[in-house]
Amino acid sequence: MQNSKIISSLIWKFLERGGTQVVQFIIQIVLARLLLPEDYGVVAIVTVFIAVANVFVQTGFNTALIQKKDINDTDLSSVFYLSLFVAFILYIVLFFTAPFIAQFYNQPILVPVFRVLSLTLFFGAVNSIQQAVIARKMEFKKYFFSSLGGIILSATIGILFAYKGFGVWALVIQQLVNVISIMLILWFTVKWRPKLLFSFQKLKTLFSYGWKLLCSSLIDTIYRNIYDLVIGKKYSSTDLAYYNRGKQFPNVIIQNLDGSISSVMLPALSASQDNQIRVKSMVRRAIVTSSYIIFPISVGLIVTAKPMITIVLTEKWFPCIPFLQLLSVSYALWPIHTANLQAINALGRSDIYLKLEIVKKIIGIIILLITMPMGLIPMAIGQIISGIISTFINSFPNRKLLNYSYIEQIKDILPSFVIACIMGIFVYCITFFQFSSIITLVIQVVIGILLYLVLSIIFKLECFKYLIETIQNYRRK
């Protein structure tokens, strides 16, 4: 696969993620001012169960379609019909179990919210096939327009419902409209339609690779959302809202930047899976480049948390600040996680991927059980500890598969980490001048960006030079 196509795909993926980020950020500012924290807590609980259900609908076969060297209409149509069937079964399950879940959390409003929001399963099933086709062809430009169109339309409707006093239903309608809009836009832009073809043999071949990824994703999804379930039950929906709001800032920014790289990496690495040296080079480049971008963002979120929350969400959301700061540290580790795991997937070793997930989640659950009685802050600190341990576990197989050790990876990301910390110290000192929140934040952002770039030049960071050269080469074409 040509480097120019990879770079072009990566740019469009960044634009897709970044464009939706900007709009989503504006939506959250408006909705957070119109809605109450407990409204977000209710939707957060429902979202956990739907996220788990979506693993069965979208994960495994979707990735198998991307990873497989050659596919045809029978592969795509078979997965399409199976995904819709699974979505139907899971919707029925969620529909009839909603009253029991609502009783468990002592929140009757969960019943209708569950039954409406679960409809997203059907549209997500269609989207997963469309996205697999886009990923295989590296046509991320199409997904950019569908995502941006979906988020703008859903934002308009969601804000209107919130303004009219619909409360939690504004969030429900927003999510439903978003996934429907993306599906419809992709339906007219992606040149693929399901055909009356179905093959159990094709599904069996895809399942031999995909079932391990499905299990891995199921374990990961349950683990990532178990904190929401525990907080929602042990504490309150308001506490859950503060935790989720704190998590949302690093999650939305860092996960989507990292996700852009991840989405492009899998098809790119899969195309070179027979060339170990090239795969290692691509993995190293992904780790170094994504760390260079994500580290300053994580540090920036930590040191600008108070003025940012004051301006964006108002003082009623102050309790989310410590969660924002702690979880920003945890999300900063994602580049190492993602690059190593995508390399393992691209090499067809989903068996190793599954084993890693089981080991990491056992360790994570142990840490959760230890920190849970101590309070919400210790639980967030526990996620940092779990993340650090997981980076070592994820990188361990690639010592043999790619001859790329954990020590090498640490050395590769250390320069970016050091200058990001230096930048963070200087930016934090600005708070001592006692400016207004908006002036403080503006000065912090401007000085932070300039200082990080200057330090990159002074220390001659190789990843900075690479990014500049890549941008210049792309502009010439």
Side-chain angles (χ1 to χ4, degrees):
M1 187 174 296
Q2 295 180 347
N3 285 336
S4 59
K5 190 170 185 179
I6 296 175
I7 297 299
S8 176
S9 299
L10 187 57
I11 289 173
W12 278 110
K13 195 62 185 176
F14 269 129
L15 288 174
E16 179 257 315
R17 296 275 189 170
T20 55
Q21 293 298 315
V22 172
V23 180
Q24 186 69 31
F25 188 69
I26 296 172
I27 297 170
Q28 294 306 322
I29 292 174
V30 177
L31 291 179
R33 291 172 177 269
L34 294 173
L35 303 175
L36 299 173
E38 49 262 40
D39 293 328
Y40 285 92
V42 169
V43 172
I45 293 172
V46 177
T47 302
V48 172
F49 290 90
I50 295 178
V52 173
N54 263 319
V55 172
F56 293 96
V57 176
Q58 299 184 32
T59 308
F61 283 109
N62 172 278
T63 308
L65 287 173
I66 299 172
Q67 193 274 340
K68 191 179 179 184
K69 284 189 174 182
D70 298 300
I71 63 170
N72 54 32
D73 285 333
T74 305
D75 292 287
L76 293 168
S77 297
S78 299
V79 174
F80 173 77
Y81 294 122
L82 178 64
S83 297
L84 284 178
F85 176 73
V86 173
F88 174 75
I89 296 299
L90 290 173
Y91 180 80
I92 296 299
V93 171
L94 290 174
F95 186 93
F96 287 106
T97 57
F100 301 102
I101 299 172
Q103 185 177 9
F104 179 77
Y105 284 99
N106 194 28
Q107 296 196 50
I109 187 64
L110 286 175
V111 177
V113 172
F114 251 111
R115 290 174 174 176
V116 174
L117 206 50
S118 296
L119 292 171
T120 58
L121 293 173
F122 296 101
F123 306 107
V126 180
N127 287 347
S128 68
I129 310 301
Q130 295 170 322
Q131 291 170 21
V133 174
I134 287 174
R136 286 190 65 87
K137 296 180 179 180
M138 304 287 278
E139 295 177 339
F140 293 100
K141 180 178 180 180
K142 294 180 179 179
Y143 199 58
F144 163 73
F145 289 110
S146 66
S147 295
L148 195 59
I151 197 68
I152 291 174
L153 179 60
S154 65
T156 304
I157 295 175
I159 292 173
L160 178 62
F161 272 71
Y163 181 74
K164 292 293 184 180
F166 281 84
V168 67
W169 289 105
L171 298 173
V172 173
I173 295 300
Q174 181 208 344
Q175 292 191 29
L176 193 59
V177 171
N178 184 45
V179 69
I180 293 174
S181 302
I182 292 175
M183 183 202 71
L184 290 176
I185 295 172
L186 287 179
W187 188 261
F188 291 104
T189 56
V190 177
K191 294 181 179 179
W192 174 81
R193 295 290 183 274
K195 297 183 178 179
L196 295 177
L197 300 170
F198 191 85
S199 169
F200 282 106
Q201 185 59 42
K202 291 285 188 180
L203 290 176
K204 183 178 178 181
T205 302
L206 293 167
F207 188 71
S208 64
Y209 173 83
W211 77 267
K212 304 181 191 73
L213 291 179
L214 188 149
C215 291
S216 302
S217 184
L218 181 62
I219 294 170
D220 183 58
T221 302
I222 293 174
Y223 174 75
R224 282 190 291 108
N225 290 286
I226 197 170
Y227 280 81
D228 291 357
L229 297 177
V230 170
I231 295 170
K233 177 62 178 176
K234 185 175 175 61
Y235 298 94
S236 68
S237 59
T238 302
D239 290 322
L240 176 57
Y242 289 137
Y243 173 83
N244 262 329
R245 182 59 65 200
K247 179 177 70 173
Q248 183 186 42
F249 281 85
N251 179 70
V252 166
I253 297 173
I254 298 173
Q255 184 181 3
N256 284 288
L257 280 171
D258 191 58
S260 300
I261 297 172
S262 171
S263 299
V264 177
M265 272 190 69
L266 180 59
L269 290 171
S270 297
S272 304
Q273 59 186 276
D274 297 324
N275 188 335
Q276 184 196 62
I277 296 175
R278 176 159 173 76
V279 171
K280 177 183 177 179
S281 175
M282 294 170 69
V283 171
R284 179 182 178 275
R285 176 58 60 200
I287 288 178
V288 172
T289 305
S290 57
S291 296
Y292 177 77
I293 296 170
I294 289 174
F295 282 163
I297 293 175
S298 299
V299 173
L301 287 172
I302 294 170
V303 299
T304 65
K306 188 173 181 179
M308 180 173 62
I309 294 300
T310 302
I311 297 167
V312 175
L313 301 177
T314 71
E315 294 182 3
K316 72 178 179 180
W317 287 97
F318 268 10
C320 79
I321 291 176
F323 301 119
L324 190 161
Q325 293 171 322
L326 290 170
L327 295 174
S328 291
V329 177
S330 178
Y331 277 99
L333 302 171
W334 277 47
I336 299 179
H337 295 307
T338 302
N340 280 290
L341 292 176
Q342 291 294 58
I344 293 169
N345 280 340
L347 294 172
R349 298 304 306 270
S350 56
D351 56 325
I352 295 178
Y353 188 101
L354 177 58
K355 292 174 184 176
L356 295 180
E357 289 302 309
I358 293 173
V359 173
K360 288 185 298 183
K361 271 42 182 186
I362 289 175
I363 294 172
I365 293 297
I366 293 173
I367 293 174
L368 172 61
L369 293 174
I370 293 172
T371 57
M372 187 169 60
M374 302 177 186
L376 294 176
I377 298 298
M379 288 171 65
I381 295 173
Q383 286 189 267
I384 297 175
I385 297 171
S386 176
I388 293 172
I389 296 172
S390 295
T391 58
F392 174 78
I393 295 173
N394 287 335
S395 66
F396 185 77
N398 285 326
R399 185 182 62 172
K400 291 185 178 180
L401 292 175
L402 299 177
N403 192 30
Y404 191 26
S405 70
Y406 187 69
I407 299 299
E408 282 184 88
Q409 294 181 27
I410 294 298
K411 288 180 180 179
D412 283 338
I413 67 172
L414 191 58
S416 298
F417 174 75
V418 171
I419 67 168
C421 289
I422 295 173
M423 178 270 291
I425 293 171
F426 279 91
V427 169
Y428 180 73
C429 289
I430 296 169
T431 59
F432 297 132
F433 289 96
Q434 307 265 320
F435 296 127
S436 66
S437 295
I438 190 166
I439 292 176
T440 299
L441 184 61
V442 170
I443 295 174
Q444 285 181 316
V445 171
V446 172
I447 290 181
I449 294 173
L450 292 176
L451 184 58
Y452 192 70
L453 294 176
V454 169
L455 290 172
S456 300
I457 296 171
I458 293 174
F459 289 99
K460 299 179 180 179
L461 261 64
E462 181 262 345
C463 50
F464 173 72
K465 182 180 178 182
Y466 171 79
L467 283 173
I468 296 299
E469 291 177 349
T470 300
I471 294 171
Q472 290 175 341
N473 291 335
Y474 182 78
R475 290 179 64 183
R476 293 192 192 106
K477 294 180 180 180

